[in-house]
Each structure stands twice: as C-alpha cells, then as structure tokens.
Amino acid sequence: MDGKTSAIRVAIGLAAGSLTLGGCTVSDAGDSAQSSSTTPTAAAIALGGEQPLDERAQAYKDALIAAGIPAGQSNSTTLVLGEGICARLADATPEQEILANLAPLAEYTASTSQGTLDGDQVARIYLETAKSDYC
C-alpha cells in the first residue's frame, strides 16, 4: 500500500468514527450531529471524486495552507479531516489519541512538504487548525 492510499484510509477512518490500528479498533459509540450532505462518502473518495467546498471548509483549507500544509491536498481529504477531527473532539477523544490517529496521513503530508514540516508538526497543524477554523 502506498502512502497516498494509507492517507486516504486514515482520513476515511477519522470521518467514519472508526479507525483500525494494529488490530485494535476505536469505535464511535454515538451518531455525530455533524453529519450532513456535504460530508464526502468513502465511495466518492475511493473513486477519486472531488468534493466541492462550502465557505467554512474553504476557510479551513486556506488556513491549513497558510499554516504550511502543501496546497495539493484534495478537497475531499480536507473535508474528511475537518469532519473527523471535529467529531472526535465533540466525543471528548483525548488530543493525543487524535494526533496518533492522524500520524500516517501527517507523515505522508510531511513527505510532500519538501522538508519544511515533519509528521508531528503536520498532525498538530491539522488538529489546531480544525479547532480554530472548522469545529
């Protein structure tokens, strides 16, 4: 599995409320009140479909880019990240657990930053920017 495929699976797991790491599953016990028709489906992402961004999501994507995240991140990935992170925060998931779940995607993104960011920095940017500009 290449880095991009792994990153997509992590993002889908965050959005779905269930992420499997090392044979362990962390599941969301409740329904998220943030579900809406603007949330991308796993099928749309898997088929490479691009999700349009509403004003809030575009502001989140712009804030990520301003913080140093490479501009090539897809709209679908941006939406899945924002929705997934906010859902985990709303469920009172500890930030360290969220950061650990973001690690594979963050490492991939860091590898596309031409050495300006490491995986820990990217994960922290994803989390803090979601808190300040999306949730």
Side-chain angles (χ1 to χ4, degrees), residues 9-21 24-28 88 101:
R9 287 187 178 180
V10 169
I12 291 169
L14 282 169
S18 175
L19 182 62
T20 302
L21 293 173
C24 299
T25 301
V26 179
S27 296
D28 182 25
R88 301 292 63 79
N101 290 341

Short mmCIF file of all heavy atoms in Angstrom, two decimals, residues 9-21 24-28 88 101:
data_model
loop_
_atom_site.label_atom_id
_atom_site.label_comp_id
_atom_site.label_asym_id
_atom_site.label_seq_id
_atom_site.Cartn_x
_atom_site.Cartn_y
_atom_site.Cartn_z
N ARG A 9 -7.14 6.06 3.66
CA ARG A 9 -7.79 5.16 4.61
C ARG A 9 -7.85 5.78 6.00
O ARG A 9 -8.84 5.63 6.71
CB ARG A 9 -7.07 3.82 4.66
CG ARG A 9 -7.35 3.01 3.43
CD ARG A 9 -6.79 1.64 3.54
NE ARG A 9 -7.14 0.91 2.32
CZ ARG A 9 -6.80 -0.31 2.10
NH1 ARG A 9 -6.11 -0.98 2.99
NH2 ARG A 9 -7.14 -0.91 0.99
N VAL A 10 -6.80 6.49 6.42
CA VAL A 10 -6.81 7.16 7.72
C VAL A 10 -7.90 8.22 7.74
O VAL A 10 -8.68 8.32 8.68
CB VAL A 10 -5.44 7.78 8.04
CG1 VAL A 10 -5.52 8.69 9.25
CG2 VAL A 10 -4.42 6.69 8.27
N ALA A 11 -7.97 9.02 6.68
CA ALA A 11 -8.98 10.08 6.63
C ALA A 11 -10.39 9.51 6.65
O ALA A 11 -11.27 10.03 7.34
CB ALA A 11 -8.76 10.93 5.37
N ILE A 12 -10.62 8.43 5.92
CA ILE A 12 -11.94 7.79 5.92
C ILE A 12 -12.25 7.27 7.32
O ILE A 12 -13.36 7.44 7.81
CB ILE A 12 -12.01 6.67 4.87
CG1 ILE A 12 -11.98 7.26 3.46
CG2 ILE A 12 -13.27 5.82 5.07
CD1 ILE A 12 -11.78 6.23 2.37
N GLY A 13 -11.28 6.69 7.97
CA GLY A 13 -11.48 6.18 9.33
C GLY A 13 -11.83 7.28 10.30
O GLY A 13 -12.71 7.12 11.15
N LEU A 14 -11.17 8.43 10.20
CA LEU A 14 -11.50 9.55 11.07
C LEU A 14 -12.93 10.02 10.84
O LEU A 14 -13.66 10.28 11.78
CB LEU A 14 -10.53 10.72 10.82
CG LEU A 14 -9.16 10.59 11.45
CD1 LEU A 14 -8.24 11.66 10.92
CD2 LEU A 14 -9.25 10.65 12.96
N ALA A 15 -13.32 10.12 9.60
CA ALA A 15 -14.66 10.60 9.29
C ALA A 15 -15.73 9.61 9.71
O ALA A 15 -16.81 10.00 10.15
CB ALA A 15 -14.80 10.90 7.81
N ALA A 16 -15.45 8.35 9.59
CA ALA A 16 -16.44 7.32 9.91
C ALA A 16 -16.53 7.07 11.41
O ALA A 16 -17.46 6.44 11.87
CB ALA A 16 -16.09 6.03 9.18
N GLY A 17 -15.57 7.57 12.17
CA GLY A 17 -15.61 7.37 13.61
C GLY A 17 -15.02 6.03 14.05
O GLY A 17 -15.17 5.63 15.18
N SER A 18 -14.36 5.36 13.14
CA SER A 18 -13.75 4.08 13.47
C SER A 18 -12.43 3.98 12.75
O SER A 18 -12.36 4.10 11.56
CB SER A 18 -14.67 2.94 13.02
OG SER A 18 -14.04 1.70 13.25
N LEU A 19 -11.36 3.77 13.52
CA LEU A 19 -10.04 3.68 12.93
C LEU A 19 -9.36 2.44 13.46
O LEU A 19 -9.29 2.24 14.66
CB LEU A 19 -9.22 4.93 13.26
CG LEU A 19 -7.83 5.01 12.69
CD1 LEU A 19 -7.90 5.02 11.16
CD2 LEU A 19 -7.13 6.24 13.17
N THR A 20 -8.88 1.60 12.58
CA THR A 20 -8.22 0.37 12.99
C THR A 20 -6.72 0.58 12.92
O THR A 20 -6.19 0.93 11.89
CB THR A 20 -8.62 -0.79 12.07
OG1 THR A 20 -10.03 -0.92 12.12
CG2 THR A 20 -7.97 -2.08 12.50
N LEU A 21 -6.07 0.37 14.05
CA LEU A 21 -4.62 0.48 14.13
C LEU A 21 -4.08 -0.75 14.83
O LEU A 21 -4.46 -1.04 15.95
CB LEU A 21 -4.19 1.72 14.92
CG LEU A 21 -4.52 3.06 14.29
CD1 LEU A 21 -4.18 4.18 15.26
CD2 LEU A 21 -3.73 3.25 13.02
N CYS A 24 -6.42 -3.20 16.61
CA CYS A 24 -7.36 -2.67 17.60
C CYS A 24 -8.29 -1.69 16.90
O CYS A 24 -7.87 -0.94 16.04
CB CYS A 24 -6.62 -1.95 18.71
SG CYS A 24 -5.49 -3.02 19.61
N THR A 25 -9.53 -1.67 17.31
CA THR A 25 -10.49 -0.77 16.71
C THR A 25 -10.98 0.22 17.74
O THR A 25 -11.34 -0.16 18.84
CB THR A 25 -11.70 -1.53 16.14
OG1 THR A 25 -11.23 -2.45 15.18
CG2 THR A 25 -12.69 -0.59 15.48
N VAL A 26 -10.96 1.49 17.37
CA VAL A 26 -11.53 2.54 18.20
C VAL A 26 -12.82 2.94 17.51
O VAL A 26 -12.81 3.43 16.39
CB VAL A 26 -10.58 3.77 18.29
CG1 VAL A 26 -11.20 4.85 19.13
CG2 VAL A 26 -9.23 3.34 18.83
N SER A 27 -13.97 2.70 18.17
CA SER A 27 -15.25 2.95 17.53
C SER A 27 -15.97 4.11 18.17
O SER A 27 -15.85 4.34 19.37
CB SER A 27 -16.15 1.71 17.63
OG SER A 27 -15.57 0.66 16.92
N ASP A 28 -16.76 4.79 17.38
CA ASP A 28 -17.61 5.87 17.85
C ASP A 28 -18.92 5.26 18.33
O ASP A 28 -19.61 4.61 17.56
CB ASP A 28 -17.84 6.85 16.70
CG ASP A 28 -18.68 8.02 17.11
OD1 ASP A 28 -18.70 8.38 18.30
OD2 ASP A 28 -19.33 8.60 16.22
N ARG A 88 -14.32 13.75 16.63
CA ARG A 88 -13.56 13.18 17.73
C ARG A 88 -13.49 14.16 18.90
O ARG A 88 -13.61 13.76 20.05
CB ARG A 88 -12.15 12.79 17.29
CG ARG A 88 -12.08 11.76 16.16
CD ARG A 88 -12.55 10.34 16.47
NE ARG A 88 -13.91 10.17 16.82
CZ ARG A 88 -14.97 10.13 15.96
NH1 ARG A 88 -14.79 10.26 14.69
NH2 ARG A 88 -16.20 9.96 16.41
N ASN A 101 -3.89 9.04 15.68
CA ASN A 101 -4.67 8.58 14.53
C ASN A 101 -4.31 9.35 13.26
O ASN A 101 -4.43 8.82 12.16
CB ASN A 101 -6.16 8.70 14.81
CG ASN A 101 -6.65 7.69 15.82
OD1 ASN A 101 -6.01 6.69 16.09
ND2 ASN A 101 -7.80 7.96 16.40
#
